[in-house]
């Protein structure tokens, strides 16, 4: 097998065995065995058995020879309408959770929880599974006491209550948010086992709010000389970010209160957050309390010492806010187990901070051959796009990859291409092609080709 891998790729790096989150790997692997990955097999088995039972009265999948012996849920009385008022997932889905990476951060308040991308369908992240990134903990702020101020280079500084904001004309838009540090652990080497940890600082929601430009116009902002704004959050992290007016003028930057049809979740900035489509997560200031109009970039702490890209020559790149085109196969992915040879739907997510995804190619041989994947509709700008491709696994080792291109013509780079420009010591903006090794045993592992 080593020989075959060498043929495919040259040098191969695997996730270290001693990765600290063994429990998470076991959980994901167990989930894969019992749940999702088992689904294909059991669905086929059940279908075959039902068909057989119909014609030849053979045992059904449950082992009961008589299909007229209906299960309890087909005979008895179900439960009353929910009394707790707000629905929850099935108890059988209890493994589908956001997870922290133990040891990644020193405190749970300045930390991250990752979205379980491997378990999700379509493009929308359920709000309860949206990744979290807090610099100083989250708050559940009383919306009746929250205020939003517009000041700086404006004729009339204004302060809005939530009620006042929610009376204004609103827009709803689907957009991804990706932390600039997503996949950051993988810069130097393979570090983590699952796509939850490699790519899970990524989520996608329908956001509802008022275009920031509307509020700036209400305050009489100087839109000619005011070429930047500063966005400020109300939590103790002093989160402030410079946003160029060019993005705001297009109308796509929202002062948002809605997420997937309801109010924002507290973890995601309730009652108000900035939505900056295509920009890295840190620009999406949560608990938004102030926008100041200015004529130059502010060079705030999160723009001067954090969120800068260390280049091979030792200099840092600043204000690299746009999330470039990227993709990842979410199934089969690291930690999952393929139980049998045969057909699999290879599926994943692609996105670009510059617009729409134009094309995704999938390889199952470590990048020697590529085939166009199907893009599922809708394909929206600065939004996750779901792709899928047919694959019949022959039971031999395989390396699965996806490579996305966006409407600007930009193509997602390999690790070799990315490192040639960026080196290996960055934290942010790793958009390299991800590789998953399917071993003969069916276990899927995170690897890097170099
Ligand atoms: N006020 C405030 N806004 C913030 C942050 C924060 O800590 N405080 N974290 C930022 C970072 S780094 C990211 S990646 C996103 C994460 O948003 P989420 O927690 O809704 O996923 O929020 C950004 N906005
Ligand atoms: Mo972030």
């Amino acid at each position: 097998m080593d020989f075959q891998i060498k043929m495919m790729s040259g040098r191969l790096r695997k996730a270290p065995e001693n990765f600290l989150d063994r429990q998470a790997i076991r959980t994901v692997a167990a989930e894969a065995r019992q749940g999702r990955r088992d689904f294909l097999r059991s669905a086929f088995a059940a279908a075959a058995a039902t068909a057989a039972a119909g014609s030849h009265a053979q045992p059904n999948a449950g082992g009961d020879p008589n299909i007229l012996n209906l299960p309890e849920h087909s005979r008895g009385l179900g439960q009353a309408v929910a009394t707790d008022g707000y629905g929850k997932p099935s108890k059988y889905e209890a493994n589908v959770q956001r997870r922290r990476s133990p040891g990644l951060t020193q405190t749970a308040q300045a930390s991250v929880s990752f979205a379980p991308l491997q378990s999700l369908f379509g493009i929308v992240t359920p709000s309860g599974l949206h990744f979290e990134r807090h610099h100083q903990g989250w708050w559940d702020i009383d919306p009746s006491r929250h205020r939003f101020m517009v000041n700086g280079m404006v004729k009339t500084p204004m302060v809005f209550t939530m009620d006042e904001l929610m009376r204004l004309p609103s827009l709803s838009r689907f957009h991804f948010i990706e932390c600039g540090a997503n996949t950051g652990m993988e810069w130097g080497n393979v570090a983590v086992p699952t796509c939850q940890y490699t790519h899970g600082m990524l989520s996608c929601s329908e956001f509802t709010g008022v275009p920031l430009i509307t509020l700036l116009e209400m305050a009489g902002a100087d839109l000619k000389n005011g070429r930047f704004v500063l966005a400020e959050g109300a939590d103790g992290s002093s989160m402030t970010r410079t946003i160029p007016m060019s993005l705001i003028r297009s109308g796509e930057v929202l002062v948002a209160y809605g997420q997937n049809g309801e109010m924002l979740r507290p973890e995601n900035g309730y009652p108000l957050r900035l939505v900056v489509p295509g920009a890295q997560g840190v620009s999406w200031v949560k608990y938004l309390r102030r926008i100041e109009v200015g004529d130059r970039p502010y060079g705030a702490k999160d723009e001067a010492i954090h969120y800068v890209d260390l280049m091979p020559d030792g200099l840092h790149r600043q204000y690299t806010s746009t999330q470039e085109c990227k993709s990842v196969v979410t199934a089969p992915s690291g930690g999952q187990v393929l139980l049998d040879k045969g057909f699999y739907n290879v599926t994943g997510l692609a996105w670009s901070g510059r617009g729409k995804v134009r094309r995704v190619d999938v390889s199952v041989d470590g990048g020697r051959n590529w085939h166009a994947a199907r893009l599922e509709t809708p394909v929206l700008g600065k939004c996750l796009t779901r792709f899928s491709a047919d694959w019949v696994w022959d039971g031999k080792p395989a390396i699965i990859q996806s490579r996305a291109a966006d409407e600007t013509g930009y193509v997602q780079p390999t690790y070799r291409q990315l490192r040639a420009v960026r080196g290996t010591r960055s934290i942010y903006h790793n958009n390299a092609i991800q590789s998953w090794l399917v071993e003969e045993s069916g276990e899927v592992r995170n690897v890097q080709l170099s």
Side-chain angles (χ1 to χ4, degrees), residues 198-400:
T198 57
H199 289 76
M201 283 196 264
L202 171 75
S203 294
C204 184
S205 302
E206 185 191 43
F207 292 100
T208 300
V210 183
L212 175 56
I213 189 74
T214 305
L215 303 170
L216 294 183
E217 281 165 355
M218 286 173 75
D222 180 347
L223 296 178
K224 193 161 155 274
N225 301 311
R227 290 170 48 236
F228 299 92
V229 308
L230 184 75
E232 180 184 79
D235 54 329
S237 69
S238 307
M239 178 56 65
T240 47
R241 290 289 304 185
T242 303
I243 317 287
M245 193 65 88
S246 50
L247 282 183
I248 297 163
R249 236 184 252 117
S250 74
E252 64 182 15
V253 175
L254 301 180
V255 173
Y257 44 79
Q259 178 182 351
N260 296 330
E262 58 183 359
M263 289 296 286
L264 290 163
R265 293 292 170 93
E267 306 94 299
N268 305 121
Y270 181 88
L272 208 59
R273 94 174 300 170
L274 201 62
V275 166
V276 192
Q280 61 181 338
V282 68
S283 294
W284 297 46
V285 173
K286 302 190 277 191
Y287 319 108
L288 182 71
R289 73 168 171 205
R290 193 169 69 93
I291 292 283
E292 179 183 312
V293 179
D295 58 3
R296 70 197 70 173
Y298 284 78
K301 77 167 164 43
D302 288 296
E303 304 171 330
I305 53 171
H306 305 298
Y307 300 93
V308 289
D309 299 325
L310 180 55
M311 301 297 280
D313 62 3
L315 295 177
H316 285 94
R317 286 196 323 193
Q318 215 181 355
Y319 295 116
T320 47
S321 264
T322 305
Q323 295 298 106
E324 299 291 354
C325 190
K326 185 168 170 181
S327 69
V328 63
V329 170
T330 54
S333 62
Q336 296 183 325
V337 182
L338 305 188
L339 295 173
D340 267 324
K341 302 175 194 180
F343 180 84
Y344 287 91
N345 182 45
V346 175
T347 183
L349 296 164
W351 61 99
S352 165
R354 298 199 186 270
K356 289 183 184 171
V357 169
R358 193 178 62 189
R359 179 188 174 96
V360 178
D361 293 302
V362 166
S363 173
V364 293
D365 59 9
R368 279 191 301 184
N369 296 287
W370 294 93
H371 302 282
R374 293 181 293 272
L375 301 189
E376 294 176 20
T377 54
V379 177
L380 303 169
K382 306 179 184 181
C383 184
L384 296 188
T385 297
R386 171 66 60 175
F387 67 84
S388 56
D390 297 344
W391 180 46
V392 178
W393 183 41
D394 60 7
K396 302 212 180 82
I399 293 179
I400 303 182

Side-chain angles (χ1 to χ4, degrees), residues 27 88 100 204 370 425:
T27 311
K88 290 186 194 66
R100 278 197 269 149
C204 184
W370 294 93
R425 291 184 297 153

Side-chain angles (χ1 to χ4, degrees), residues 19-98:
F19 176 72
L20 14 78
D21 198 1
R22 296 303 299 175
Q23 184 50 41
I25 308 178
R26 275 195 291 274
T27 311
V28 177
E31 178 189 357
R33 270 184 224 102
Q34 299 153 15
R36 296 238 183 279
R37 291 308 104 205
D38 200 20
F39 177 74
L40 268 185
R41 177 195 244 185
S42 38
F44 285 151
T50 311
S55 48
H56 311 292
Q58 285 176 357
N60 64 25
D64 189 325
N66 186 353
I67 58 162
L68 293 179
N69 280 348
L70 295 173
E72 172 64 17
H73 61 254
S74 301
R75 292 181 283 127
L77 189 58
Q79 302 194 49
V81 289
T83 49
D84 54 1
Y86 200 105
K88 290 186 194 66
S90 160
K91 65 182 177 195
Y92 301 107
E93 301 299 319
N95 264 329
V96 182
Q97 292 188 8
R98 316 188 255 226

